Amino acid sequence: MQVNLTGRTALVTGSTQGIGAAITTALARSGATVAVNGRTSDSVTAAVKRLRAEVPDAEVVPVAADIATEEGAELAVELLPEVDVLVNNLGIFEPRPALEITDEEWRRYFEVNVLAAVRLTRAYLPGMTGRGWGRVQYIASDSAVVIPAEMIHYGMSKTALLAVSRGFAKEAAGTGVTVNAVIAGPTHTGGVEDLVYELVDRDLAWDEAQRVFMRKHRPQSLLQRLIEPEEIAHMVVYLSSPQASATTGGAVRVDGGYVDSILP
Ligand SMILES: NC(=O)c1ccc[n+]([C@@H]2O[C@H](COP(=O)([O-])OP(=O)(O)OC[C@H]3O[C@@H](n4cnc5c(N)ncnc54)[C@H](OP(=O)(O)O)[C@@H]3O)[C@@H](O)[C@H]2O)c1
């Protein structure tokens, strides 16, 4: 299958590193113009440079804006008034004992992980439906389904994204616009690599370290290793493609079999 996104513009939120950066690279390789988003122009400029080093002919739009705020979302839409593919990837996570999560933190997780995605969907969906083509995606997590006891605020926000995704898919019914959630599993990002070496012997080589980590701390995974960000990005590129026209209202798993369920 050859995915060709030439002529399409994609905004990937929170894409200066990690899964978001891998998604921008993969979309750019498929010919899309990609908007790289982070909170500061320094981080965005550095990410754009890395992306151009990997995909020299990439068409890139820098969008330095804190999209978790109302003003930041407005700025993003001002810088990029129309998109064909919206990937709501931005998400924060941090362990916190359940009874110690304050009102402020509950609100922050809702604002950053859910409301930011809702605002951008509201801003971009009418343009997509008006043009009769578009792709909206939400990067959810295994934690949407298997709520982690050590970060239930994060789990709540990812469960909410599944509802938001299903709801906006109904709003876009019959328009040529598809809306889906991607349930990502434990992924090899910088933050997760640090976590692995906090929990297993620092002298172990990476491959062995991650396998020990998965065996001891993520035994539900059928993959028994961390997922590489590019493996999430491949699914996002597929869902962004014209070929994925019949997949909408779904929650698609790239979780290494982590969620012990037959559906979705
Ligand atoms: N890593 C995993 O194992 C895993 C597993 C399942 C699901 N996920 C989900 O996948 C997504 C990406 O995770 P990740 O681990 O790749 O994240 P990450 O490495 O922590 O990267 C977060 C990105 O978001 C940007 N960012 C943070 N706050 C922002 C804001 N307010 N406005 C705009 N950009 C902002 C950061 O850029 P700046 O610092 O430049 O602002 C950075 O590019 C999240 O939704 C996460 O929940 C991750």
Side-chain angles (χ1 to χ4, degrees), residues 79-96:
L79 293 169
L80 197 70
E82 272 184 10
V83 303
D84 305 296
V85 177
L86 170 63
V87 183
N88 293 293
N89 166 75
L90 168 62
I92 52 170
F93 45 98
E94 203 182 350
R96 182 82 74 229

Side-chain angles (χ1 to χ4, degrees), residues 215-232:
R215 214 164 36 238
K216 283 195 183 161
H217 301 280
R218 300 288 184 275
Q220 309 93 304
S221 168
L222 305 181
L223 199 61
Q224 299 185 351
R225 63 162 172 80
L226 288 166
I227 297 159
E228 290 301 319
E230 293 70 28
E231 295 177 287
I232 312 282

Side-chain angles (χ1 to χ4, degrees), residues 188-209:
H188 179 196
T189 55
V192 172
E193 188 167 321
D194 292 345
L195 174 74
V196 168
Y197 278 119
E198 268 170 40
L199 295 173
V200 307
D201 184 350
R202 280 187 181 274
D203 294 334
L204 291 178
W206 170 247
D207 207 40
E208 184 55 16

Side-chain angles (χ1 to χ4, degrees), residues 13-20 37-40 43-44 65-69 88-93 112-113 139-143 154 158 161 183-192 226:
T13 66
S15 51
T16 60
Q17 62 178 44
I19 294 171
N37 167 244
R39 285 163 295 185
T40 65
S43 66
V44 172
D66 180 346
I67 56 134
T69 66
N88 293 293
N89 166 75
L90 168 62
I92 52 170
F93 45 98
V112 178
N113 289 6
I139 306 302
S141 161
D142 53 82
S143 300
Y154 174 67
K158 292 295 170 176
L161 273 187
I183 296 185
T187 303
H188 179 196
T189 55
V192 172
L226 288 166

Side-chain angles (χ1 to χ4, degrees), residues 105-201:
E105 279 176 297
W106 279 106
R107 281 194 201 101
R108 182 162 160 260
Y109 270 74
F110 179 73
E111 294 257 341
V112 178
N113 289 6
V114 185
L115 194 51
V118 170
R119 276 200 201 103
L120 289 184
T121 308
R122 228 165 33 201
Y124 288 120
L125 191 59
M128 293 183 196
T129 54
R131 292 189 297 278
W133 198 93
R135 301 284 185 259
V136 180
Q137 295 172 53
Y138 302 87
I139 306 302
S141 161
D142 53 82
S143 300
V145 187
V146 185
I147 307 296
E150 75 283 5
M151 41 184 188
I152 63 175
H153 53 343
Y154 174 67
M156 170 282 297
S157 71
K158 292 295 170 176
T159 312
L161 273 187
L162 299 187
V164 164
S165 176
R166 180 72 192 165
F168 279 117
K170 289 181 177 177
E171 173 62 22
T175 63
V177 178
T178 66
V179 183
N180 291 288
V182 174
I183 296 185
T187 303
H188 179 196
T189 55
V192 172
E193 188 167 321
D194 292 345
L195 174 74
V196 168
Y197 278 119
E198 268 170 40
L199 295 173
V200 307
D201 184 350

